[in-house]
Amino acid sequence: MTMTNPAPIAQAISGAIDRARRHAPFLAQLIGRETALVDRITCGALPDALSVRIDDPVMPIGQRLRIERRRLALLVAIGDLAGLYDLTAVTRALSDFADYALDAAIRAAIDERTPGAPATGFAAIALGKQGSHELNYSSDIDPILLFDPATLPCRPRETADDAAVRIGRRVIELLQTRDGDGYVLRVDLRLRPSPEITPIVLRADAAIAYYESQALPWERAAFIRARAAAGDLALGRHFLETVQPFVWRRALDFGAIGEIRGISRRIRDHHAQGQLFGPGYDLKRGRGGIREVEFFAQIHQMIHGGRNLPVRAAATRDALACLADGGWIDADQAAELAAAYSLLRTIEHRAQMVDDRQTHHLPIGLALDSLAALHGLGDGPALLALLRPHVDRVGTIYDGIEPDPGDTLSHDAARLLGALAAAGFDDAAAPVARERIDSWRAGAYPALRSGPARQALEAVLPGLVAALGQAPDPGGAMMRLDHILARLSSAINFFRLLEAQPAVTRLLGAILSHAPPLADVLGQRPELLDGLIDSTALDPVGDVPALIAQIVPREGMDYQAVLDHARRVVGEKRFALGTQIVAGVSDPLAVAAGYARVAEAAIDVIVRATIEDFARRHGQVPASELVILALGRMGGGLLTHASDLDLIYLFTGDYRSESDGEKPLSAVLYYNRLAQRVTAALSVPTAAGPLYEIDTRLRPSGAQGPLVVSTEGFARYQQESAWTWEHMALTRARPIFGSAGGRAEVAAIIALVLNGARPDRDLVADAVAMRSEMAAHKPPTGPLDAKLLPGGLVDLEFTVHLAQLSHGLGFDPDLGTAIDLLVAAGLLPPSTRAAHDFLTRLLVTTRLVAPNLEPPGPATRALIVRALALSGWDEVVALLDVTRQEVRASWHQLGGRDEDHGVG
């Protein structure tokens, strides 16, 4: 829409700004912050979208992009609301900025690592709405990141694979980081091939091989809108040209068309709540919504695009016009769909402008009226009346597509074996898989015996077999799936989830193949898969306050319900964290820190609830509180999937006090009983499952002493009676529960003891004796035991703690930080930090994918290699050997000696 008369333009802009202030909090905030831009806009002419860009080479690239995005968001919104930008102009401006920001992030990431190097060998392929220049107002982008090892700039002694992943991580960090200036773009990398097992940046030649031989039908549809958007555009264009025959096949492929139609049916089923038109309607996924217009175009493009180049247009409305021009679809229907698409997308943008949320739903109640007012209408019913005829017409047109009869797996034994072999099951696995499928069809388990369950099974089997066939161990994955089905009370929702979410199905195959602990948990709680639907499931978990907010119970929950709720949320978080390692999307060190933050948040919520419940009968001890001290890996903030929690319970105040409740208790008895309740609350399984194993043996006097002591008694014990091994444990002690004052009191005691207020002992002799005793009683489990092998993490920890206590330096609960301090002081060799990080990554990964600590099969070895950011299994073995030698040398340097650790 274009206006040429200045007066109406100024009036339209003024009205748009007024509606934005009153009905869109996000836009109102931008108007308040960007006064200079608002002044320019209100002069009666919209600035060019390029004018928001900042020419300041000193400003950090992330900050610059965030501010530019913020200003563009305001400019585009006002232009849209004023009627000065039509849908094409809006989406083009947003898409162009996404290209520009993605390209700037790639160039910055490369330049940070290799200053002055050209930005070659790294490309971003835009898919989805970015690819077709149709990006939403508040949308994520769905790129595939590729690299060419021959031209990618690398640091000395760095493999191109490692460099590419590190560049990719930095690009995502630059785009997704949020601060007071907002963010640049949300990035979703799950449209790449096999995202659950592939690195975030793929070799271009490997990606080409995948699309030529293994890609699924829905991936063909995704590439209809693909284009080289950022980075090395020549590399990106070469890739797209090479895979073009995969996308555009000359032969009609009704199987792929059926897959797209099936996706639409599954979306309607999975998002049933938003299907009914009215308040709460899902503009994107609802019947007659945006997705059905897009699918209508894509289905006809897939039918006719192989032989007719003009219909290959990326943008939806362009594709509809081309299909109509060629006579492939009815021209009137094309016009109706295009008009509906324009209106639906415009209202979707309005909904996203309100709070800068990636929402697709119409709001309800007064919020619907406010959205209508933002669009310039009187109220919510007026908006619904505007939309209804378009939604109805889209649904009718889309329903008229002749549905594919649907793919099913044959019941004939020979044909079924052939289908399994084609999917990737080898000669040994295929007969076992056929037997399992036959048993499921026969209702071997209660969850499979109803008619709807059998129908859901048949619907999901083709996709399930395809996903498991691509797994590293198809036969093993099939058997673990069988164990899950045996435990289900109802399989219908489980199957429908897998049918609706092909990516989750593939991820399930990887979990079942690689991670026995996760597979076991999934067998007990199949609903954990639901959490992987959310695009944020594989993102790092938040900080402790954010996690507490997610775990904290809803108002009105009783104590038992609080414990169950906490177990469910924590179980989901821990499962998702483990899945991040299987999927290869997170550094195991980041996952380990995430495990620890989840545990700390769980302790906070559960202990507070336990104290509140306990106080109902026994009251509180005046001027006193419980303080919990974490030690070991929990104290250091890095846990594994299997870690227990080493805790010490303390209480402040006068031990001679008494509680003030209906059933008063002396302070000592009060806190010992409370601590027993806390331990049970954290460890005893409930209907929602287990939580953590709690180990309190590091308390004063160990298992022979009381469960809780006063801070005064703790200080006295540590200063007068504690053994060297207890002081070594204290180096990683960290208060994790209690008021700020209570934590500070305990931290002061620890600092006093570590800095010398302790018995004078022969530290080296004590440490050597204790390491010898540990070696005798806890030998390594296998050749991958990064913890207990000679030169493993235990030896490294002993080395660090002995250096800390001997020199009175380098005290920090975080072992990595402590090492850095000791290295800086010249007390440990510089290689010690790298040894710590490597051994910890190996420990965290193997606890999940090789829990017996024996070398796993080739596919899981590749996963470990990827998690450690190395080039191959031989390098893992060699680096483990070298690292152990370095750690043992450091141990010897401080006076330690080798023991028989049970490994030849």
Side-chain angles (χ1 to χ4, degrees):
M1 180 177 180
T2 303
M3 295 183 181
T4 55
N5 190 324
I9 292 176
Q11 186 176 2
I13 290 174
S14 176
I17 292 174
D18 180 64
R19 298 200 309 277
R21 280 198 176 104
R22 288 187 290 119
H23 302 292
F26 171 67
L27 296 182
Q29 180 189 36
L30 295 188
I31 290 169
R33 294 191 67 173
E34 296 294 341
T35 54
L37 179 58
V38 172
D39 289 342
R40 293 173 62 194
I41 293 173
T42 53
C43 288
L46 288 178
D48 185 88
L50 295 178
S51 68
V52 304
R53 300 186 183 177
I54 299 171
D55 184 15
D56 183 354
V58 178
M59 182 181 292
I61 178 67
Q63 180 185 11
R64 174 165 62 83
L65 291 174
R66 288 189 287 274
I67 295 173
E68 289 174 344
R69 185 265 174 182
R70 186 178 77 206
R71 293 175 178 173
L72 181 74
L74 178 59
L75 176 62
V76 167
I78 299 304
D80 186 3
L81 292 171
L84 302 179
Y85 288 168
D86 61 12
L87 179 63
T88 300
V90 169
T91 58
R92 185 70 192 221
L94 296 170
S95 302
D96 286 349
F97 177 77
D99 291 357
Y100 154 77
L102 184 55
D103 186 75
I106 290 171
R107 295 179 184 279
I110 291 175
D111 191 65
E112 286 174 2
R113 294 170 41 77
T114 51
T120 57
F122 193 103
I125 305 299
L127 299 180
K129 289 185 170 64
Q130 183 191 4
S132 58
H133 294 289
E134 297 174 295
L135 205 59
N136 278 337
Y137 184 81
S138 182
S139 176
D140 57 14
I141 59 173
D142 305 282
I144 293 177
L145 303 180
L146 304 171
F147 76 100
D148 175 11
T151 57
L152 182 71
C154 300
R155 289 175 173 175
R157 297 181 297 280
E158 182 183 49
T159 68
D161 297 77
D162 293 342
V165 169
R166 288 165 184 155
I167 292 169
R169 287 175 177 161
R170 178 58 175 154
V171 168
I172 295 169
E173 180 184 22
L174 287 170
L175 296 178
Q176 294 198 148
T177 295
R178 289 176 180 265
D179 63 14
D181 292 317
Y183 67 100
V184 185
L185 294 165
R186 293 180 290 263
V187 183
D188 187 347
L189 298 179
R190 292 181 299 164
L191 290 185
R192 71 185 187 276
S194 303
E196 66 279 358
I197 58 173
T198 55
I200 60 173
V201 187
L202 305 174
R203 285 177 176 254
D205 54 359
I208 290 170
Y210 171 85
Y211 287 114
E212 288 178 342
S213 61
Q214 302 179 49
L216 299 173
W218 67 265
E219 292 174 300
R220 282 186 58 198
F223 267 80
I224 290 176
R225 299 192 285 184
R227 64 182 174 84
D232 189 339
L233 296 181
L235 172 63
R237 289 168 182 149
H238 169 73
F239 167 80
L240 291 176
E241 290 169 2
T242 305
V243 301
Q244 190 174 72
F246 145 76
V247 181
W248 303 110
R249 298 178 181 175
R250 293 182 63 81
L252 295 181
D253 187 352
F254 286 102
I257 296 162
E259 171 72 14
I260 301 303
R261 191 69 171 86
I263 289 174
S264 178
R265 289 195 300 271
R266 294 194 288 273
I267 287 174
R268 282 184 173 183
D269 181 57
H270 193 68
H271 298 275
Q273 190 172 4
Q275 294 296 315
L276 184 65
F277 182 76
Y281 172 69
D282 190 329
L283 294 159
K284 179 178 180 180
R285 305 180 188 90
R287 181 186 182 277
I290 293 165
R291 181 62 57 81
E292 292 191 352
V293 179
E294 294 170 343
F295 279 2
F296 182 93
Q298 290 169 14
I299 286 172
H300 288 89
Q301 285 179 292
M302 293 177 72
I303 294 173
H304 305 294
R307 295 176 179 270
N308 300 279
L309 271 62
V311 306
R312 297 182 182 180
T316 299
R317 290 174 299 166
D318 291 344
L320 290 170
C322 292
L323 287 163
D325 289 342
W328 304 116
I329 62 174
D330 181 85
D332 290 338
Q333 288 189 351
E336 290 173 318
L337 290 172
Y341 188 78
S342 297
L343 178 61
L344 289 166
R345 287 292 308 276
T346 298
I347 302 304
E348 181 187 47
H349 286 178
R350 301 285 185 270
Q352 294 176 352
M353 289 173 185
V354 173
D355 289 312
D356 193 26
R357 290 177 54 241
Q358 191 182 0
T359 182
H360 311 288
H361 289 79
L362 291 177
I364 61 176
L366 294 177
L368 181 61
D369 291 333
S370 182
L371 181 65
L374 181 64
H375 188 59
L377 298 175
D379 56 17
L383 177 59
L384 295 177
L386 177 66
L387 288 169
R388 186 183 298 277
H390 294 279
V391 171
D392 288 343
R393 188 59 184 146
V394 170
T396 300
I397 293 172
Y398 190 74
D399 287 342
I401 300 176
E402 183 65 29
D404 184 81
D407 295 328
T408 60
L409 279 185
S410 174
H411 285 250
D412 178 77
R415 291 181 178 177
L416 179 54
L417 281 173
L420 289 165
F425 289 80
D426 62 25
D427 292 343
V432 176
R434 181 192 64 78
E435 180 184 348
R436 288 296 85 209
I437 292 173
D438 287 345
S439 73
W440 299 343
R441 284 170 161 168
Y445 305 124
L448 305 175
R449 290 172 187 164
S450 70
R454 287 194 293 271
Q455 292 173 2
L457 170 65
E458 292 298 336
V460 79
L461 269 178
L464 191 58
V465 166
L468 297 185
Q470 297 175 42
D473 178 13
M478 180 70 79
M479 292 308 298
R480 290 193 178 100
L481 176 60
D482 183 72
H483 296 325
I484 292 175
L485 296 180
R487 297 180 179 182
L488 288 177
S489 58
S490 172
I492 296 174
N493 290 337
F494 180 75
F495 288 146
R496 285 178 176 170
L497 166 62
L498 296 179
E499 185 186 9
Q501 299 288 334
V504 173
T505 307
R506 293 195 301 273
L507 190 53
L508 171 64
I511 290 170
L512 297 178
S513 297
H514 287 303
L518 294 184
D520 290 344
V521 171
L522 198 55
Q524 298 164 7
R525 291 188 59 197
E527 69 274 10
L528 287 171
L529 269 185
D530 294 351
L532 301 183
I533 298 174
D534 189 345
S535 62
T536 64
L538 299 183
D539 292 344
V541 296
D543 58 17
V544 173
L547 288 166
I548 289 173
Q550 296 174 50
I551 300 171
V552 74
R554 296 186 298 274
E555 187 175 352
M557 278 188 176
D558 63 25
Y559 178 59
Q560 188 58 51
V562 170
L563 300 185
D564 288 341
H565 174 72
R567 278 159 171 75
R568 281 191 289 270
V569 176
V570 170
E572 291 167 3
K573 296 296 182 185
R574 294 174 72 187
F575 182 79
L577 282 165
T579 301
Q580 289 178 20
I581 292 180
V582 175
V585 298
S586 294
D587 185 335
L589 286 177
V591 171
Y595 282 138
R597 294 197 299 276
V598 169
E600 186 171 345
I603 288 171
D604 187 278
V605 172
I606 289 176
V607 175
R608 291 185 191 281
T610 303
I611 291 173
E612 181 180 349
D613 186 68
F614 190 76
R616 288 192 178 96
R617 185 173 187 186
H618 301 292
Q620 297 178 333
V621 179
S624 179
E625 66 172 306
L626 179 71
V627 178
I628 299 179
L629 191 60
L631 302 97
R633 300 201 184 286
M634 182 61 190
L638 295 175
L639 297 178
T640 73
H641 180 80
S643 290
D644 58 12
L645 307 183
D646 293 309
L647 305 179
I648 291 178
Y649 301 121
L650 305 170
F651 70 90
T652 64
D654 188 347
Y655 72 92
R656 295 166 296 188
S657 298
E658 187 176 79
S659 68
D660 57 10
E662 176 188 350
K663 298 287 185 180
L665 299 171
S666 67
V668 173
L669 184 57
Y670 178 97
Y671 283 111
N672 274 274
R673 287 190 181 177
L674 174 60
Q676 290 172 353
R677 289 279 303 274
V678 167
T679 298
L682 291 171
S683 60
V684 174
T686 72
L691 198 59
Y692 294 102
E693 292 292 328
I694 304 299
D695 190 341
T696 61
R697 291 174 296 175
L698 291 176
R699 65 186 186 269
S701 300
Q704 307 305 314
L707 185 58
V708 188
V709 298
S710 68
T711 51
E712 180 183 347
F714 176 72
R716 185 167 54 252
Y717 177 84
Q718 292 291 342
Q719 294 174 28
E720 298 175 2
S721 306
W723 297 95
T724 296
W725 65 267
E726 292 176 292
H727 291 143
M728 292 175 73
L730 207 62
T731 60
R732 282 200 284 174
R734 178 170 62 96
I736 59 168
F737 181 84
S739 68
R743 295 188 193 207
E745 180 181 341
V746 173
I749 294 170
I750 294 169
L752 187 66
V753 172
L754 293 180
N755 285 300
R758 59 180 189 268
D760 186 15
R761 302 190 187 280
D762 188 336
L763 297 176
V764 173
D766 287 352
V768 168
M770 185 171 68
R771 185 65 189 101
S772 177
E773 182 177 355
M774 181 180 287
H777 290 90
K778 294 184 68 174
T781 303
L784 295 182
D785 195 337
K787 178 179 177 180
L788 295 174
L789 280 169
L793 270 172
V794 169
D795 281 348
L796 178 62
E797 291 163 359
F798 267 69
T799 301
V800 172
H801 300 332
L802 183 55
Q804 290 172 310
L805 294 176
S806 297
H807 298 279
L809 294 173
F811 294 117
D812 194 287
D814 182 324
L815 196 63
T817 302
I819 289 170
D820 291 341
L821 295 171
L822 293 170
V823 169
L827 300 175
L828 289 178
S831 62
T832 309
R833 179 58 187 265
H836 165 270
D837 290 354
F838 168 73
L839 291 170
T840 302
R841 286 190 177 99
L842 182 60
L843 175 73
V844 173
T845 304
T846 54
R847 284 290 190 268
L848 198 66
V849 303
N852 62 359
L853 302 180
E854 295 289 339
T860 302
R861 291 186 184 188
L863 186 154
I864 295 173
V865 168
R866 183 189 65 205
L868 301 179
L870 299 176
S871 60
W873 184 252
D874 289 344
E875 187 179 1
V876 174
V877 175
L879 185 55
L880 177 58
D881 184 59
V882 169
T883 300
R884 289 171 54 201
Q885 291 179 36
E886 292 174 348
V887 171
R888 292 165 79 181
S890 297
W891 173 236
H892 296 160
Q893 185 70 27
L894 291 177
R897 64 169 185 266
D898 283 338
E899 304 292 343
D900 181 4
H901 291 55
V903 175

